[in-house]
Amino acid sequence: MDIDLRLVRYFTVVAEYGNFGRAATKLHLAQPSLSRQIQRLEAQLGVRLFDRSPQGSSLTDAGQAFLPRARILLHEAEQAAYTARAAVQPPTITVGCAEGLVITSCVQELRRRHPESQVRTRHLDWRDTHALAEGRVDAVIAYKPLPLPTDGLRVTKLHVEPRVLVTSASHHLANEKPVSLRALSDQELVTCVSTPVVWSTPKPVGDRPAPPPPAIDDSYEDKLELIATGHCVAIFPASDRRAAMREDIALVPVIDIDPCEVVLVTRADDPNPLLGSLEDVARTVLGTASRWENNELPVH
């Protein structure tokens, strides 16, 4: 039987989202087109894979049985393609970097050790949770908690670092060095489940009413505006210095909050020969002997 791998990938995305509309958005397809592609796959297999309803789409018994094999099929195809390319091309690696992190020194050292290889980088934002699983990157350097499932992944701890209070320059805590969480007892702090960032619920400022809380579609700059105008505060990893570029925002070390981890994430069974060297370089350059252990905390 000839099975179109493209259709198999479409199937796994619809299965993940349980909704043709959201899956079509993820795949950059029109929803009617995606529905036709899934129907083609069902015709090839001779079974119905989804039960469709106004509330969404759920896998049939046949779909549930096919899903793990479909993922294996896509993974094996990816490995076969990589092996074939590796036979005639120089080694390549694409290192993903999560928002707020700088990995320039790590990448430079990897290129120095492997001048014959192609070392690329890709900046990842919070939407790129599938970049590693889909093969768009070979490794990710990120903060924990990770915004992606870790099944089948290898997670290597590189270092821990403190976190800082991010507030408006006019906030009464802006000139403190450092602050305790007790000083934020009047703030309702909300921890993000997939990032190390903690936000406070927006509050009124003077006669200005409180705006709505940060939304999932808000950009980083949108959220900084809430801080700069005094409506809320946040707690960031100490190495995320993007907010420090604004004169209307202050960074203040926090002394009694758990530090956050920076980790290297790779596919557990990836045969890429550069991954071992990347791990060694990342441990050396970004590892536990970091400046944070010497309490070199950033201040405004």
Side-chain angles (χ1 to χ4, degrees), residues 7-60:
L7 303 183
V8 175
R9 178 170 179 264
Y10 291 169
F11 162 75
T12 62
V13 175
V14 176
E16 176 184 350
Y17 282 88
N19 181 282
F20 273 79
R22 290 196 296 269
T25 300
K26 170 65 179 177
L27 294 166
H28 304 290
L29 294 173
Q31 183 173 337
S33 175
L34 177 59
S35 296
R36 289 194 297 271
Q37 302 302 329
I38 295 299
Q39 290 170 358
R40 283 183 55 200
L41 179 62
E42 291 175 325
Q44 288 181 0
L45 298 175
V47 296
R48 185 164 49 87
L49 298 171
F50 292 101
D51 286 324
R52 299 163 175 83
S53 71
Q55 289 72 39
S57 302
S58 59
L59 289 168
T60 63

Side-chain angles (χ1 to χ4, degrees), residues 8 67 80 98 107 134 163 168 182 192 218 246 274 280 284:
V8 175
L67 181 59
V107 172
E134 294 175 353
R163 292 191 260 191
S168 69
R182 291 189 298 273
C192 298
D218 288 348
R246 296 184 53 152
L274 292 176
D280 180 60
T284 302

Side-chain angles (χ1 to χ4, degrees), residues 158-236:
L158 299 178
H159 72 259
V160 297
E161 64 183 57
R163 292 191 260 191
V164 294
L165 174 67
V166 185
T167 185
S168 69
S170 60
H171 194 278
H172 69 279
L173 295 176
N175 295 318
E176 297 291 327
K177 297 190 285 189
V179 299
S180 165
L181 282 180
R182 291 189 298 273
L184 302 175
S185 59
D186 63 332
Q187 302 279 353
E188 182 181 352
L189 299 177
V190 181
T191 302
C192 298
V193 296
S194 59
T195 76
V197 176
V198 178
W199 294 94
S200 70
T201 301
K203 301 171 63 176
V205 175
D207 58 355
R208 290 174 291 166
I216 192 170
D217 292 329
D218 288 348
S219 69
Y220 176 82
E221 289 72 20
D222 293 329
K223 295 171 182 176
L224 284 187
E225 286 300 316
L226 286 177
I227 296 174
T229 54
H231 285 292
C232 72
V233 299
I235 298 174
F236 285 8

Side-chain angles (χ1 to χ4, degrees), residues 148-162:
L148 67 160
T150 57
D151 295 344
L153 300 180
R154 174 181 170 84
V155 180
T156 303
K157 176 180 173 182
L158 299 178
H159 72 259
V160 297
E161 64 183 57

